[in-house]
Amino acid sequence: DVVMTQSPLSLPVTLGQPASISCRSSQSLVFSDGNTYLSWFQQRPGQSPRRLIYEVSNRDSGVPDRFSGSGSRTDFTLKISRVEAEDVGVYYCMQATHWPWTFGQGTKVEIK
Amino acid sequence: QVQLQQSGPGLLKPSQTLSLTCAISGDSVSSNRAAWNWIRQSPSRGLEWLGRTYYRSKWYNDYAVSVKSRITINPDTSKNQFSLQLNSVSPEDTAVYYCVRGFSSSLDCWGQGTLVTVSS
């Protein structure tokens, strides 16, 4: 199985400041069709995960533009340009290029 | 807007069968573009994909190797829902279980989650 490794696992951030989460895969996530199937999810306390980003950099409808995704092959990043209180939660990356689909272990974002 | 509503018991004894149902609104279990997944989450295993069912002129199922001998996922077209059965549960199966729609090689809609506890 493809191993997804996130860092850091805990990220204390000051309100209004940027935050960045790294996700590395054990294999290239470029699929045979040329697409890269890397998604990011946000899980607020007590809620189900919610998708923020798909195919590396495409934001879902309703996701604030302070969230952005980037990267290629095995290295990916989720950035929050200015952290707001509602961004507290755990963030997961997931790959859907190789079977079975696998998740990172999660990064907990909290306010300092 | 797609919505998934889960139902099923939350407390089981070891060796019993876990049974959960996911009712779909806003899409069809027979969609030839979507896949219907079960994923669980626990502190020890994190998010773990368990399996899926989908229709592409006929029905298909895929299961995780870790549970393949114990799992069944079935569609119910008459009720537009799908179900999860996991046999011979043990305390290691204690987790929050989610039904999730898969679409275009991602997971775009999650159910509310069901905490299933296995304890004698």
Side-chain angles (χ1 to χ4, degrees):
Chain A
D1 296 0
V2 174
V3 177
M4 305 296 289
T5 304
Q6 291 183 227
S7 63
L9 298 185
S10 178
L11 184 56
V13 187
T14 302
L15 286 173
Q17 292 300 301
S20 181
I21 300 170
S22 171
C23 175
R24 289 199 166 99
S25 59
S26 59
Q27 301 178 34
S28 171
L29 298 187
V30 179
F31 192 58
S32 55
D33 62 5
N35 292 323
T36 301
Y37 296 111
L38 185 285
S39 301
W40 288 97
F41 298 87
Q42 174 195 62
Q43 188 173 30
R44 291 172 170 151
Q47 295 187 12
S48 302
R50 162 202 180 198
R51 193 179 68 180
L52 300 176
I53 302 281
Y54 61 97
E55 293 181 33
V56 180
S57 59
N58 296 289
R59 252 190 323 271
D60 271 276
S61 174
V63 174
D65 61 8
R66 63 178 181 275
F67 289 93
S68 64
S70 63
S72 62
R73 294 185 55 83
T74 60
D75 288 315
F76 304 93
T77 303
L78 176 70
K79 292 182 179 176
I80 310 174
S81 59
R82 295 173 304 279
V83 171
E84 299 190 5
E86 65 178 17
D87 300 335
V88 165
V90 182
Y91 291 78
Y92 298 92
C93 59
M94 185 202 81
Q95 67 82 22
T97 295
H98 302 281
W99 202 251
W101 296 358
T102 49
F103 294 86
Q105 66 270 60
T107 295
K108 186 174 184 178
V109 172
E110 58 184 11
I111 305 301
K112 281 183 184 175
Chain B
Q1 181 183 357
V2 178
Q3 291 188 320
L4 303 176
Q5 182 67 38
Q6 301 177 218
S7 59
L11 182 60
L12 294 171
K13 296 186 186 305
S15 79
Q16 290 185 327
T17 295
L18 182 161
S19 294
L20 297 175
T21 299
C22 182
I24 303 164
S25 58
D27 199 349
S28 170
V29 71
S30 303
S31 165
N32 60 12
R33 297 191 65 190
W36 305 98
N37 299 263
W38 288 97
I39 288 169
R40 67 182 177 184
Q41 183 175 32
S42 64
S44 59
R45 295 172 179 256
L47 286 163
E48 180 185 15
W49 175 84
L50 298 176
R52 66 178 182 174
T53 189
Y54 59 99
Y55 185 77
R56 301 290 186 270
S57 302
K58 67 174 186 177
W59 289 101
Y60 293 88
N61 288 100
D62 296 310
Y63 298 128
V65 170
S66 60
V67 296
K68 193 169 185 176
S69 63
R70 300 191 290 133
I71 191 172
T72 304
I73 296 176
N74 283 324
D76 183 342
T77 57
S78 66
K79 295 181 179 178
N80 200 32
Q81 62 187 29
F82 62 110
S83 63
L84 167 69
Q85 281 199 321
L86 188 65
N87 301 326
S88 304
V89 297
S90 70
E92 288 67 42
D93 294 310
T94 294
V96 177
Y97 286 74
Y98 295 98
C99 61
V100 191
R101 186 178 82 156
F103 197 86
S104 296
S105 294
S106 187
L107 300 169
D108 67 343
C109 183
W110 295 62
Q112 80 274 25
T114 301
L115 173 60
V116 176
T117 302
V118 181
S119 174
S120 54

